[in-house]
Amino acid sequence: MLQRPLAVLVGPPGSGKSTVGAALAERLEVPLRDTDQDVETLTGTTIAELFVDRGEEYFRELESEAVRAALESHGGVLSLGGGAILRPETRKALVAHYVVWLDVNVPSAVKRLDMNVARPLLLGNVRGRFIALDRERRPLYEEISTVHVDTSEMSIEEVVDELCGRIPHGTKES
């Protein structure tokens, strides 16, 4: 029997996908799966190193496969990398799932990300790069999300409380 994620978390860097995902999975007493970690485990290297050594396109191919596999087999909370929604096949696969778009405004994102060097697409001018990525990806997050939560001014606990009140158990809202 195939499992389905209870919730799939998407959103820009710094929105809280990993942190909220871990807290939400703990609260719901289900496992957390992170497709970025899946790719790192598969390749034995970091995403930043993959970008440098093999390029973004190679990483996106591995990421797409990791998302597909997780959507078919994971029964808990699933966290996707910020750019996973760039691939049309991934967006198409997400249509059948309960997708939570964790959003964040620029000042909050920059504060959360400024010192994080493990994000290859944000190297250099973090604020400028975040704005450019957000402009490109925002319509895609909107397209595939079931629920939209702005985490900018919320604590992790507040986000988890809100999501626990909104996530249907095993069904996608209409």
Side-chain angles (χ1 to χ4, degrees):
M1 182 175 157
L2 291 178
Q3 299 230 358
R4 294 176 54 84
L6 210 54
V8 180
L9 307 182
V10 300
S15 62
K17 296 179 302 294
S18 297
T19 308
V20 168
L24 180 62
E26 183 176 329
R27 176 86 63 86
L28 296 174
E29 299 179 337
V30 297
L32 170 68
R33 185 162 172 183
D34 183 316
T35 56
D36 281 351
Q37 290 177 352
D38 289 352
V39 170
E40 288 182 343
T41 299
L42 174 70
T43 62
T45 188
T46 67
I47 290 169
E49 290 169 336
L50 280 173
F51 266 75
V52 170
D53 296 342
R54 302 292 301 269
E56 183 176 359
E57 185 58 31
Y58 178 76
F59 167 73
R60 295 291 175 210
E61 186 63 36
L62 294 175
E63 178 183 53
S64 179
E65 180 56 31
V67 170
R68 185 198 59 72
L71 289 173
E72 292 176 356
S73 65
H74 182 68
V77 174
L78 179 61
S79 177
L80 306 189
I85 48 81
L86 293 171
R87 291 253 173 155
E89 63 269 22
T90 298
R91 292 194 306 277
K92 183 177 179 185
L94 287 170
V95 168
H97 295 274
Y98 191 84
V99 179
V100 177
W101 170 18
L102 298 179
D103 201 359
V104 63
N105 63 30
V106 175
S108 295
V110 170
K111 185 168 35 171
R112 295 174 187 176
L113 296 169
D114 201 29
M115 301 306 288
N116 190 334
V117 295
R119 298 176 187 268
L121 291 178
L122 293 176
L123 291 177
N125 176 352
V126 174
R127 181 181 177 83
R129 293 293 303 139
F130 179 86
I131 291 169
L133 287 176
D134 189 58
R135 189 175 301 126
E136 173 190 19
R137 296 174 180 179
R138 181 166 288 278
L140 303 177
Y141 293 133
E142 188 171 358
E143 171 190 326
I144 54 94
S145 65
T146 309
V147 171
H148 176 230
V149 178
D150 187 338
T151 67
S152 301
E153 305 301 325
M154 296 174 78
S155 70
I156 295 164
E157 293 77 22
E158 289 170 327
V159 176
V160 170
D161 286 346
E162 179 163 339
L163 292 177
C164 283
R166 296 175 80 172
I167 294 173
H169 295 285
T171 61
K172 182 176 166 124
E173 287 180 353
S174 303

